Amino acid sequence: MGNISGQTPEKILIVGGGYAGFYTAWGLEKKLRRGEAEVTLVDPHGYMTYQPFLPEVTAGSIEARHVMVSLRRHLHRTTIIAGHTTSIDHAHRTATVRTNDGALREIGYDTIVVTAGAVTRTFPVPGIADEAIGLKHVEEAVAIRDQLLTAFDRAALLPPGNERRRLLTVTVVGGGFTGVEVFGELLSLATGLLRSYPELGRDDLAFHLVDANKRILPEVTDEPGRWVVEHLKRRGARIHLGTQVVSAADGRILLSTGESYGNGLLIWAAGNGSNPVVARNTDLPVDERGLVRVRADLRVGTDEAPVPHAWAAGDNAAVPDLASPVPGARTVPNAQHAVRQGKLLAANLVADLRGKQPRQYLHHSLGVVATLGIGQGIFQYRRLVIKGFLAWLMHRGYHVLAVPTWERKVRVLLVWVSAVFFGRDIIPLATVQRPRAAFLAGGDPFAGVDGALADLARVADAQATDTRPELSVVRDAG
């Protein structure tokens, strides 16, 4: 029931501060009357990551902090709790949170909003846990960039041969938008870096894109997908379709085709996995994929059996796609849907609080656009397909408009403008992973570099894929 003036304010708990969670809280702050409800948001980071920009962070086209939106800076009337939600007991209206200082805390609520996002989908492939880096978090994007830049420094000191080529070999697993975009951006970065490394040549680079499906970019039709494959091949890439990584152990990639090669950087972008908190640690109804079952108005449950005072949106929710002609279709996990679902969720929460009817979620796609590196992109809206430089400009134009807050828009634009005149910044900061190493080593500025590089993949991958509920780092994927 809605809150009646004079009664205790409704306690609304939002689990997750990604797209859907941030926009829900932001919308509630704009729509709620004073004293009408108390909003609490639980998130381990304290910021929302604009994930479509992460491939450009890996290539140094955007500064890492510019893709993050501070929750505390923009949510002035929301209580922010820095921690991980480990379980939800909706029957008793409580959620258990492990705060970032390690303490367990129970939070009571009247209404819950589950926007915890998804985690990187992994498989039990030998070597993945030791070698791979995901791409859902800013920390991972920065680690990828630092590892590639440092590999160039090391390779420049080596004679031509297998070890130099191994250092400059990059493998991306996953042919969706994230995988293709980071592949194209890193290929563009690596090719451009050769101008600053006269010791190295184009033959020293090896870029492999691996996907188990027979095609990449399932969101576009066949012809644009084939064009992207041919475009990347013309730039020197190796594309392995209908292929799986069998092993990544000991710095070597073994493919299901039998091909094997030494590898320096492994990026795992093979799609989303269900959030372990949602899939296994809640009494809310979930489907066979581990997603929260929701109705078209984003209320948890079904039309026949709605769950009172429970709502969900974003990548951890199975939201009906009313715009699809396919019966039973669900919205795909991307930024377009997560942002709009968050905005509608705020409006529906307020409507429900005031005893009004919530609206159903209906969104027709605005098309899909992807960057393939500096000056290259692909855009499709229905039968309209645009390739190359214009598509790249459309990608940048759309996303600079979509990233929330004018402050972030201006910062991103300024970096892009400066890059036109001065190019990308190519300084690696691998030692930031161990900031005290130089101090402990008596001021040696290079102390800890080897250890930092060895830790990059393990730390970043653990952040994205650890399935222990108390340690899971999750976000709306977008």
Side-chain angles (χ1 to χ4, degrees):
M1 289 294 295
N3 183 47
I4 301 175
S5 179
Q7 292 187 349
T8 303
E10 184 88 356
K11 294 181 179 179
I12 301 175
L13 175 63
I14 301 174
V15 178
Y19 294 133
F22 172 77
Y23 276 95
T24 298
W26 209 18
L28 287 173
E29 291 203 355
K30 297 173 184 177
K31 298 175 185 297
L32 287 171
R33 304 185 186 110
R34 187 168 299 277
E36 192 171 17
E38 295 175 353
V39 181
T40 300
L41 187 151
V42 178
D43 187 89
H45 290 111
Y47 55 80
M48 186 208 81
T49 301
Y50 190 72
Q51 291 183 347
F53 277 156
L54 291 184
E56 293 200 58
V57 173
T58 67
S61 297
I62 297 178
E63 289 299 318
R65 285 186 174 85
H66 296 174
V67 306
M68 300 181 287
V69 178
S70 170
L71 300 181
R72 293 187 181 275
R73 181 167 185 171
H74 298 285
L75 301 178
H76 305 293
R77 294 164 53 196
T78 300
T79 300
I80 309 294
I81 297 178
H84 303 270
T85 302
T86 62
S87 65
I88 299 169
D89 182 359
H90 190 62
H92 296 92
R93 302 293 195 272
T94 59
T96 302
V97 174
R98 186 179 295 277
T99 56
N100 286 354
D101 62 3
L104 283 176
R105 176 179 174 183
E106 280 198 350
I107 300 176
Y109 62 83
D110 298 313
T111 296
I112 192 165
V113 177
V114 185
T115 53
V119 298
T120 302
R121 182 179 60 180
T122 58
F123 302 94
V125 177
I128 291 299
D130 298 322
E131 302 289 339
I133 305 178
L135 191 59
K136 279 189 176 295
H137 307 279
V138 173
E139 296 87 349
E140 294 169 320
V142 172
I144 289 168
R145 178 174 180 269
D146 286 342
Q147 187 165 328
L148 182 62
L149 292 175
T150 306
F152 266 81
D153 285 338
R154 290 183 165 190
L157 300 175
L158 297 175
N162 291 336
E163 179 59 17
R164 187 159 89 175
R165 186 173 178 83
R166 185 194 67 79
L167 284 171
L168 301 181
T169 297
V170 177
T171 299
V172 176
V173 180
F177 266 85
T178 299
V180 170
E181 286 192 321
V182 70
F183 187 83
E185 286 288 342
L186 289 179
L187 180 58
S188 175
L189 170 63
T191 304
L193 281 173
L194 292 176
R195 293 192 293 270
S196 301
Y197 290 85
E199 306 93 334
L200 304 174
R202 185 64 186 80
D203 291 342
D204 293 312
L205 302 180
F207 274 70
H208 299 261
L209 178 63
V210 182
D211 194 276
N213 297 311
K214 293 293 186 180
R215 52 163 297 179
I216 62 173
L217 297 178
E219 297 88 345
V220 304
T221 54
D222 290 344
E223 191 280 328
R226 285 192 294 268
W227 178 85
V228 172
V229 169
E230 293 305 317
H231 169 81
L232 293 173
K233 286 181 177 179
R234 287 195 298 271
R235 291 165 57 184
R238 292 281 308 277
I239 311 296
H240 308 269
L241 299 181
T243 305
Q244 297 177 344
V245 174
V246 175
S247 174
D250 301 323
R252 289 199 66 82
I253 299 293
L254 174 62
L255 302 178
S256 57
T257 58
E259 183 177 352
S260 177
Y261 57 88
N263 189 67
L265 175 59
L266 175 60
I267 302 166
W268 194 268
N272 293 330
S274 61
N275 186 301
V277 175
V278 173
R280 299 191 295 272
N281 294 282
T282 177
D283 55 355
L284 297 173
V286 298
D287 67 7
E288 66 282 354
R289 297 172 295 170
L291 304 179
V292 181
R293 294 185 184 274
V294 300
R295 311 187 318 177
D297 61 2
L298 306 180
R299 191 191 300 274
V300 174
T302 63
D303 292 336
E304 297 76 21
V307 177
H309 305 288
W311 308 74
D315 296 348
N316 63 192
V319 180
D321 189 355
L322 301 184
S324 173
V326 180
R330 299 290 185 262
T331 58
V332 298
N334 64 25
Q336 280 191 44
H337 286 302
V339 168
R340 287 164 178 80
Q341 288 170 14
K343 292 179 179 179
L344 177 64
L345 191 45
N348 282 354
L349 283 164
V350 173
D352 185 66
L353 197 62
R354 297 172 184 171
K356 299 179 181 179
Q357 189 69 24
R359 293 185 292 113
Q360 294 186 326
Y361 178 72
L362 173 63
H363 172 64
H364 295 276
S365 174
L366 302 176
V368 291
V369 62
T371 175
L372 303 174
I374 295 292
Q376 298 294 335
I378 181 77
F379 168 83
Q380 182 174 19
Y381 176 69
R382 296 182 180 177
R383 295 186 179 181
L384 174 64
V385 177
I386 299 175
K387 309 168 186 175
F389 184 74
L390 180 57
W392 177 74
L393 287 179
M394 294 172 67
H395 175 273
R396 287 201 159 184
Y398 170 77
H399 284 298
V400 80
L401 290 175
V403 68
T405 80
W406 279 103
E407 173 232 352
R408 281 301 182 250
K409 298 179 196 295
V410 171
R411 289 182 187 274
V412 170
L413 279 172
L414 289 176
V415 172
W416 281 342
V417 170
S418 66
V420 172
F421 298 99
F422 306 112
R424 295 184 178 106
D425 194 325
I426 60 172
I427 300 174
L429 292 174
T431 52
V432 76
Q433 303 292 328
R434 293 185 175 185
R436 298 181 66 244
F439 171 74
L440 295 175
D444 181 0
F446 298 102
V449 171
D450 290 341
L453 290 174
D455 287 345
L456 283 178
R458 288 193 294 272
V459 171
D461 189 59
Q463 288 177 331
T465 63
D466 195 325
T467 56
R468 290 172 291 176
E470 69 271 24
L471 294 179
S472 295
V473 178
V474 292
R475 274 282 193 259
D476 290 305

